[in-house]
Amino acid sequence: MKREEQVRLTKQKLLTAADQLIVKEGYAAVSVERITKLAGVSKGTFYTYFKKKGDLMIALSQHRFAAINDQIPLLVNGDPVEGIRHYLMSYLKVVTDQSTLAMVRSWLRFILDPSNGQIG
C-alpha cells in the first residue's frame, strides 16, 4: 500500500472512531486514548494527524458538512433566493440525521467553550 493511502486510511480510522464515540457520549467525555484504542492506533499516531482533540472535532465538522459547503459557489448562479433555500434545505437534511444532530450539539459546545480557544 502506498504511503498516501496509508495516511488517508489511518486518518479515516481516527475520524470514524471519534465520530462514533462523540455521537454516543459527547465531546467532553471522550479522550484521545479512547479514540486511538477504538481506531487501533497508538496515541502518538493521533498527534501525527492532529495537534489536539479540538483539531479532530473541526475535521469531523468539515467532513460532515463538506457536501453542502461545496454548494456555496452555486449560490451566486441563478436565483439567489432559490440558491439559499436549496442550501438551507441541504443543511437541514444533514443536521436532522440523528447522529449528525448529536455531533452538531457536541460541536456547538466545543465552539462555545471559551477554554478551548476556538471562539472568534
Side-chain angles (χ1 to χ4, degrees), residues 44-60:
T45 299
F46 176 91
Y47 293 105
T48 298
Y49 297 95
F50 305 100
K51 290 181 182 178
K52 56 188 182 280
K53 188 172 85 167
D55 293 341
L56 179 120
M57 188 65 172
I58 292 168
L60 281 172

Side-chain angles (χ1 to χ4, degrees), residues 27 50-62 106-120:
Y27 174 79
F50 305 100
K51 290 181 182 178
K52 56 188 182 280
K53 188 172 85 167
D55 293 341
L56 179 120
M57 188 65 172
I58 292 168
L60 281 172
S61 299
Q62 290 169 339
S106 286
W107 181 78
L108 285 172
R109 285 185 194 110
F110 167 76
I111 292 298
L112 296 175
D113 180 2
S115 67
N116 68 28
Q118 295 297 319
I119 293 180

Side-chain angles (χ1 to χ4, degrees), residues 12-119:
Q12 187 57 51
K13 284 182 191 178
L14 288 165
L15 289 168
T16 300
D19 192 16
Q20 290 173 4
L21 291 169
I22 292 169
V23 165
K24 184 177 176 184
E25 302 173 28
Y27 174 79
V30 177
S31 67
V32 170
E33 185 175 346
R34 291 189 53 222
I35 293 167
T36 57
K37 184 175 181 181
L38 182 61
V41 300
S42 71
K43 196 171 176 180
T45 299
F46 176 91
Y47 293 105
T48 298
Y49 297 95
F50 305 100
K51 290 181 182 178
K52 56 188 182 280
K53 188 172 85 167
D55 293 341
L56 179 120
M57 188 65 172
I58 292 168
L60 281 172
S61 299
Q62 290 169 339
H63 176 73
R64 290 268 183 165
F65 293 101
I68 57 175
N69 287 339
D70 290 345
Q71 295 179 28
I72 291 172
L74 301 176
L75 296 176
V76 297
N77 299 328
D79 179 19
V81 172
E82 188 56 37
I84 291 169
R85 180 178 294 126
H86 178 72
Y87 178 83
L88 291 174
M89 292 305 291
S90 298
Y91 180 83
L92 287 173
K93 187 176 180 181
V94 171
V95 171
T96 56
D97 169 41
Q98 287 302 315
S99 64
T100 302
L101 184 57
M103 179 59 70
V104 168
R105 286 180 181 145
S106 286
W107 181 78
L108 285 172
R109 285 185 194 110
F110 167 76
I111 292 298
L112 296 175
D113 180 2
S115 67
N116 68 28
Q118 295 297 319
I119 293 180

